[in-house]
Amino acid sequence: MKLFTDFLTNRYLTLERNIKSKSNSFYDSYLDLLEATIKYILDEQNIEYDDSRTCGHLVKNEKLIVSFLKVTLKLDDFTYNKIGDYIKKCNDHKHKKEKWLGIDSVINYLKVYYDFINYYIDYIKGIRINFDANYYNEIFGETERLNNEYKTEVARLKEELQDSIYSNKLSEQDLLLYKSLLSEKDIAINNLDEQNRILQSQISILKDIKLNSMEEKLNKTIDMLNNMQDYLVENRIIARRTSKLIDGREITDEELSVERRKLEALKNGK
């Protein structure tokens, strides 16, 4: 979602990352976004306020601001009261360091935020931003789901490469790359977003190593087939020579040369 300024949009993106990670930091980022949005609106409308005050103080205690929200923007009582309620709950979460975030909280908090900014959008005659609860249901915990998928993919690729490693079929460079990959324990010390970045990188490296290994096997197979074709060419020449001998005459060098050229042309698909 793109908000009124890049600063507000970045605040929102932080909030969205916390939703994807199911992080309790959602409450901190919601409070930051709400406060930044309220102050942005007040600045745009040239309404004076004490910038050192938090949004909880602003929406409750500044008479001029309350008048603007309820009279000018015509903010309904439910939305106005919920803003105050959620500010208090966010502060409670921040101080109590609670660790659980549910999708219901995400939906309820964001519905109120969308309703609030749409009141202002209506006031400035802008285009409303639609609230899509399904979107937040879909992204909730997405980072964790991706993390599990990436871990599974890394494990699968490593297992597929085990035979090549034990048989010394990897190039020295690929083997060094494989050994340079971080262990699960080393990856796990990072947050989920960083873990996913590392895991994606490892998947890319492992796929490259696997592809190189497959190309090496293919090249060896082609060489083997070429050698077999050479062997078959020689055998066919010997067979033709033997046939001539049975008929009672020796095949000449010129005839052998002609036969060899014919078979070489057949071998090369000409």
Side-chain angles (χ1 to χ4, degrees):
M1 179 173 69
K2 186 170 178 60
L3 291 173
F4 308 108
T5 66
D6 289 340
F7 177 75
L8 288 175
T9 299
N10 288 333
R11 290 282 191 182
Y12 168 78
L13 292 175
T14 299
L15 176 82
E16 195 171 88
R17 282 195 295 273
N18 287 324
I19 295 171
K20 290 178 179 179
S21 299
K22 292 199 297 188
S23 170
N24 191 54
S25 295
F26 164 85
Y27 298 104
D28 298 325
S29 54
Y30 182 87
L31 195 59
D32 290 341
L33 175 61
L34 184 59
E35 181 172 316
T37 303
I38 291 172
K39 289 183 176 180
Y40 163 78
I41 292 173
L42 297 177
D43 288 337
E44 285 294 296
Q45 298 302 313
N46 297 314
I47 297 175
E48 293 184 3
Y49 63 94
D50 184 349
D51 189 50
S52 67
R53 295 290 192 175
T54 63
C55 60
H57 180 87
L58 293 175
V59 300
K60 290 291 185 183
N61 299 324
E62 298 285 346
K63 290 183 180 179
L64 183 60
I65 295 170
V66 171
S67 175
F68 172 75
L69 293 176
K70 301 196 72 174
V71 177
T72 305
L73 289 190
K74 297 182 172 56
L75 203 64
D76 66 89
D77 287 340
F78 176 82
T79 302
Y80 176 76
N81 290 331
K82 274 299 178 183
I83 287 174
D85 180 41
Y86 289 159
I87 289 171
K88 181 180 182 305
K89 287 180 178 177
C90 284
N91 282 319
D92 287 344
H93 279 283
K94 181 187 294 187
H95 298 308
K96 293 177 182 178
K97 304 293 183 184
E98 296 183 18
K99 297 182 180 180
W100 186 83
L101 174 68
I103 184 59
D104 289 342
S105 293
V106 170
I107 299 297
N108 292 335
Y109 278 58
L110 281 170
K111 178 65 169 62
V112 167
Y113 178 77
Y114 273 77
D115 287 344
F116 170 57
I117 61 173
N118 277 326
Y119 270 101
Y120 181 66
I121 289 172
D122 288 342
Y123 176 72
I124 62 175
K125 295 181 170 49
I127 299 174
R128 281 180 149 247
I129 301 175
N130 293 324
F131 174 70
D132 183 3
N134 288 332
Y135 172 72
Y136 294 104
N137 270 299
E138 288 171 2
I139 68 169
F140 185 69
E142 178 181 274
T143 306
E144 186 176 29
R145 289 195 298 273
L146 287 174
N147 186 261
N148 290 330
E149 289 175 12
Y150 293 153
K151 285 178 179 176
T152 300
E153 179 70 357
V154 166
R156 183 184 68 80
L157 289 167
K158 283 185 173 181
E159 184 177 355
E160 289 179 356
L161 286 169
Q162 287 308 301
D163 180 61
S164 295
I165 292 171
Y166 292 142
S167 305
N168 294 319
K169 293 178 180 178
L170 295 184
S171 68
E172 184 177 345
Q173 182 179 0
D174 282 342
L175 188 58
L176 287 173
L177 272 175
Y178 184 91
K179 290 180 177 179
S180 71
L181 298 176
L182 293 176
S183 67
E184 288 185 21
K185 183 179 179 180
D186 289 333
I187 295 173
I189 64 176
N190 299 281
N191 62 46
L192 283 178
D193 283 320
E194 182 63 14
Q195 284 186 39
N196 287 351
R197 187 192 67 77
I198 295 171
L199 289 167
Q200 282 182 297
S201 176
Q202 292 204 348
I203 289 170
S204 179
I205 290 171
L206 287 166
K207 284 183 175 179
D208 284 343
I209 294 173
K210 181 182 175 181
L211 182 60
N212 291 340
S213 175
M214 290 172 66
E215 286 179 349
E216 180 65 22
K217 289 178 181 177
L218 180 60
N219 289 336
K220 288 181 178 178
T221 301
I222 291 172
D223 289 341
M224 183 181 70
L225 289 173
N226 285 335
N227 290 335
M228 186 177 293
Q229 283 183 320
D230 291 339
Y231 173 78
L232 291 173
V233 166
E234 293 300 323
N235 272 3
R236 290 182 69 174
I237 290 172
I238 291 170
R240 286 175 183 268
R241 185 171 186 173
T242 302
S243 176
K244 292 286 185 180
L245 289 171
I246 291 172
D247 290 340
R249 76 177 184 85
E250 177 70 53
I251 188 169
T252 67
D253 290 339
E254 183 178 352
E255 287 175 318
L256 277 175
S257 180
V258 170
E259 289 294 332
R260 197 179 296 278
R261 284 198 299 272
K262 286 180 181 178
L263 292 170
E264 283 292 338
L266 183 62
K267 168 186 169 183
N268 295 325
K270 296 180 180 178

